[in-house]
Amino acid sequence: MKRRIVHPSIGLAAIALLLVLAPAGRMLAQDEGFDVIYEGVVDSATPEPEATLDLSLYGTAGFSVGGSFWAAAGTQAVFSIESVEIDLDASYGTDGLQLLAGAQTEIAGFGVGGDLSWSPGTRPVIDVRGWGTLGVFRLTLNVRLAGANTAVTISGTTDFEGFGLSANAGLAGGSLTQASVGANAAVGALSLSGSAGLAGGTLSVGGGAGLQIGTVSVIANAGYDGAIGLNATAGGTVSLEALEITAIGLYDNTGIGSEISGELGLGAMTATFMGRFSSGGLSVEVGARLPLGPATATFSVALDDQDGFSWAEIGFDMPL
């Protein structure tokens, strides 16, 4: 048998070729999606929850035709982290020192919260609230702890594909003070509602309808209240790009009244208007909101047909 002799130079060339192609082969393997395993510790720490703190200053001052003057300035802080939110508000003015504090969070899918308000020389008022869903029912509970004025309100709502039911009850001093039931339904752009209730021994029943047509919405409702007799309301709202106008007519045992209000955007400024007419006379209120750098300034003035000028007020709100 013949032996095949390979020239030494050919062997050296083959080795050199392998050395050149090896790195390229590894790069090709990575480019083709081959897994490369590294030994070591993998950092899987959960990111820290983001916390925010918002601070703002605000103030207001005004006077009325009767010669009374009012003014106040304060600061507000809102701290939030995950589902926890804490609010603190302190102000001082012609009504003295006013302190407000509140907090809310979620526990096991239910929301809980509370607010406390206090001023020197008065009893603190504490409001506790809770909300959540049990099956198809959405429930809310509000408890106001204010000494002899302690009150509890419980309400619930549910929906069945365009049809809804609601009920609520209020208790104070260990007695039922009010209770009501209601129903609502939606048929395309038309909505219908009705309710019946009892408050302070006075019965009230009512029903209404609403219709949305493009940028126009109209409402009408009528009912009976043991305190004011027959009553009815009808009106509509027109919403355009920079203008929104609402007009409402009312009727009850005091007579016929009407109200028209509007909001107009003028560049950065927003102007507001509201006029009321009833058997008690005519009153008009105009105002404006204007951004000034980081702050927002407000102005409003009220007029009526008896005194002419009634009152004026200016204010500001500025985040820090």
Side-chain angles (χ1 to χ4, degrees):
M1 181 177 63
K2 294 183 179 179
R3 295 178 59 191
R4 185 175 181 182
I5 300 174
V6 179
H7 196 276
S9 62
I10 297 177
L12 293 175
I15 294 173
L17 182 61
L18 289 173
L19 293 175
V20 170
L21 293 179
R26 288 196 299 270
M27 293 175 62
L28 180 62
Q30 293 176 359
D31 290 342
E32 291 297 326
F34 285 79
D35 293 331
V36 180
I37 300 176
Y38 297 92
E39 293 184 358
V41 178
V42 178
D43 184 10
S44 60
T46 303
E48 291 292 332
E50 183 178 355
T52 62
L53 177 62
D54 298 319
L55 300 174
S56 62
L57 299 174
Y58 62 89
T60 184
F63 64 96
S64 68
V65 68
S68 61
F69 171 80
W70 62 92
T75 182
Q76 182 182 42
V78 180
F79 173 78
S80 61
I81 179 170
E82 293 187 325
S83 63
V84 178
E85 183 175 290
I86 299 174
D87 302 284
L88 300 172
D89 190 302
S91 65
Y92 185 82
T94 50
D95 291 332
L97 177 66
Q98 305 285 331
L99 298 178
L100 301 172
Q104 67 178 37
T105 187
E106 290 186 5
I107 301 176
F110 289 87
V112 293
D115 299 293
L116 181 147
S117 60
W118 176 80
S119 59
T122 65
R123 180 192 297 269
V125 176
I126 301 174
D127 291 296
V128 181
R129 58 189 181 277
W131 62 94
T133 301
L134 288 176
V136 296
F137 296 97
R138 294 186 298 276
L139 304 175
T140 61
L141 171 67
N142 292 277
V143 180
R144 165 158 286 195
L145 304 174
N149 296 320
T150 295
V152 179
T153 303
I154 305 171
S155 62
T157 61
T158 186
D159 294 311
F160 303 98
E161 297 182 355
F163 178 76
L165 296 172
S166 63
N168 73 76
L171 302 95
S175 302
L176 181 68
T177 56
Q178 62 91 11
S180 66
V181 293
N184 62 80
V187 183
L190 177 66
S191 61
L192 304 171
S193 63
S195 64
L198 186 66
T202 301
L203 175 68
S204 63
V205 294
L211 181 63
Q212 181 76 40
I213 306 174
T215 61
V216 179
S217 61
V218 293
I219 61 165
N221 60 66
Y224 173 82
D225 189 300
I228 61 174
L230 293 174
N231 58 87
T233 303
T237 299
V238 178
S239 300
L240 303 176
E241 184 174 353
L243 174 65
E244 181 174 284
I245 298 177
T246 299
I248 297 176
L250 310 98
Y251 167 79
D252 58 26
N253 62 353
T254 63
I256 298 175
S258 62
E259 178 179 305
I260 182 170
S261 61
E263 187 171 287
L264 175 64
L266 299 171
M269 185 179 74
T270 301
T272 59
F273 167 85
M274 181 172 62
R276 294 190 183 99
F277 172 78
S278 67
S279 57
L282 173 67
S283 63
V284 176
E285 180 180 333
V286 294
R289 297 190 303 272
L290 178 63
L292 298 174
T296 299
T298 60
F299 169 78
S300 57
V301 61
L303 310 170
D304 61 48
D305 61 351
Q306 296 179 2
D307 300 319
F309 169 77
S310 180
W311 56 265
E313 183 177 80
I314 58 173
F316 77 94
D317 188 293
M318 182 176 68
L320 299 178

